[in-house]
């Protein structure tokens, strides 16, 4: 039973992922080559993309989430997302009815080990830990 003074749970209305790469042609090529040579690593990229394209199973996952999941690169992320993440990447940020909140940091995404299912589990666990709820469908 909650007390009358308890703050209502913040509601997640959107998820935003930020890749540890730039969206420019040079940035994309630099990341791709660096990743192939073992010099660059973005755990969010590994979850959502194959060696060249977005994984079809990622699109299916996005369509099944209770809220939209948008992605940006380091250089094109919206300001409020950059502030919530502290400028770090890769991350997942929850956009709530009360603001923006870091949901998953780079270490959390690394722990997903490239698995879409583990990403979804990590998002759900973090939301519960932070006292967040999902927007009604």
């Amino acid at each position: 039973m909650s007390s009358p003074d308890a703050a209502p749970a913040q509601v997640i209305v959107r998820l935003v992922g930020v890749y540890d790469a730039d969206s420019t042609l040079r940035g994309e090529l630099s990341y791709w080559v660096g990743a192939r040579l073992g010099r660059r690593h973005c755990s969010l990229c590994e979850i959502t993309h194959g060696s060249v394209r977005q994984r079809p199973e990622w699109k299916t996952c996005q369509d099944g989430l209770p809220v939209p999941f948008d992605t940006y690169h380091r250089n094109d992320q919206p300001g409020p997302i950059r502030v919530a993440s502290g400028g770090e990447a890769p991350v997942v940020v929850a956009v709530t009815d009360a603001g923006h909140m870091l949901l998953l940091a780079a270490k959390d995404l690394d722990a997903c080990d490239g698995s879409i299912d583990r990403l979804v589990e990590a998002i759900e666990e973090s939301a519960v830990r932070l006292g967040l709820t999902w927007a009604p469908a």
Side-chain angles (χ1 to χ4, degrees), residues 55-69:
R55 294 168 59 185
E57 56 270 33
W58 169 243
K59 179 64 177 144
T60 301
C61 175
Q62 279 182 297
D63 293 342
L65 291 171
V67 296
F69 190 120

Side-chain angles (χ1 to χ4, degrees), residues 49-127:
H49 285 72
S51 59
V52 178
R53 295 193 174 93
Q54 186 178 71
R55 294 168 59 185
E57 56 270 33
W58 169 243
K59 179 64 177 144
T60 301
C61 175
Q62 279 182 297
D63 293 342
L65 291 171
V67 296
F69 190 120
D70 301 317
T71 55
Y72 293 92
H73 295 82
R74 275 190 316 246
N75 66 316
D76 63 5
Q77 65 184 298
I81 302 300
R82 185 181 308 276
V83 169
S85 71
E88 297 296 318
V91 295
V92 174
V93 171
V95 179
T96 74
D97 56 350
H100 299 74
M101 183 177 294
L102 180 64
L103 203 58
L104 300 175
K107 65 179 176 51
D108 304 313
L109 292 166
D110 282 341
C112 293
D113 199 28
S115 167
I116 293 170
D117 291 337
R118 287 188 192 168
L119 172 66
V120 172
E121 290 170 9
I123 288 169
E124 291 172 352
E125 290 169 3
S126 185

